[in-house]
Amino acid sequence: MRDAVFRDFAKVVALAGFLGASDPEDVAQEAFTRLHKHARRLRDLEAAAGYVRKVVVNLVRGEHRSRLMRRRHVVPSWAWERAVVGTGETAGDAGLAQAVAALPSREREAVTLRFWLDLPYEQIGEVMGISAGTARSHVSHAVSSLRTRSEENVHG
């Protein structure tokens, strides 16, 4: 079971990068270290993958809180671009990466989990520690903000 989850290391690194981790590989490594410690308690592959995603989100949140406390600074706008380049995938538009990075952290987390990992709202809620309805709301607000920003860039 663990081997299948460990094969997704690159995706976990990218997830950490998309969420704005300063060192996505370090976050992924820590998530898999924690998985290794708790693997006996997890019932199947999906539970292990969900555990890893939850750990990544929580580690990145903690990093953001620490960064805010130290510098009162927001997540850098290049975080998504760096994560996308690192996976060999294309963001399609650097402006989109910057727009996503500028979203409030909860909206950025929800929209990343929804559209990059293609998770259903129930799993997004589990990963983020919120209800599926709240996850849906975060995604909706994020998409609306991104759409508004896109229209502003086109018109002016």
Side-chain angles (χ1 to χ4, degrees), residues 7-15 18 78-94 96-97 112 115-118:
R7 277 184 253 147
D8 288 337
F9 186 78
K11 278 189 133 181
V12 174
V13 170
L15 173 62
F18 287 150
W78 44 262
W80 258 59
E81 290 157 277
R82 184 178 69 185
V84 170
V85 168
T87 63
E89 305 213 11
T90 59
D93 180 5
L96 173 63
T112 300
F115 295 110
W116 187 72
L117 287 181
D118 199 29

Side-chain angles (χ1 to χ4, degrees), residues 21-88:
S22 62
D23 187 346
E25 286 183 358
D26 189 50
V27 170
Q29 184 174 1
E30 178 61 26
F32 281 109
T33 298
R34 291 183 187 188
L35 171 65
H36 181 71
K37 289 179 185 176
H38 299 285
R40 284 184 284 257
R41 289 187 256 170
L42 300 171
R43 64 190 178 285
D44 58 24
L45 182 60
E46 186 57 38
Y51 178 82
V52 168
R53 288 189 293 260
K54 192 171 200 166
V55 169
V56 168
V57 168
N58 288 332
L59 288 170
V60 174
R61 279 182 190 165
E63 182 181 308
H64 289 196
R65 280 190 298 271
S66 295
R67 209 179 308 155
L68 279 170
M69 294 304 293
R70 284 192 310 268
R71 295 184 275 165
R72 295 281 185 214
H73 190 271
V74 297
V75 177
S77 62
W78 44 262
W80 258 59
E81 290 157 277
R82 184 178 69 185
V84 170
V85 168
T87 63

Side-chain angles (χ1 to χ4, degrees), residues 95-115:
L96 173 63
Q98 290 176 341
V100 170
L103 290 170
S105 63
R106 294 294 211 155
E107 290 180 17
R108 183 178 56 252
E109 291 170 5
V111 80
T112 300
L113 292 168
R114 178 70 181 132
F115 295 110

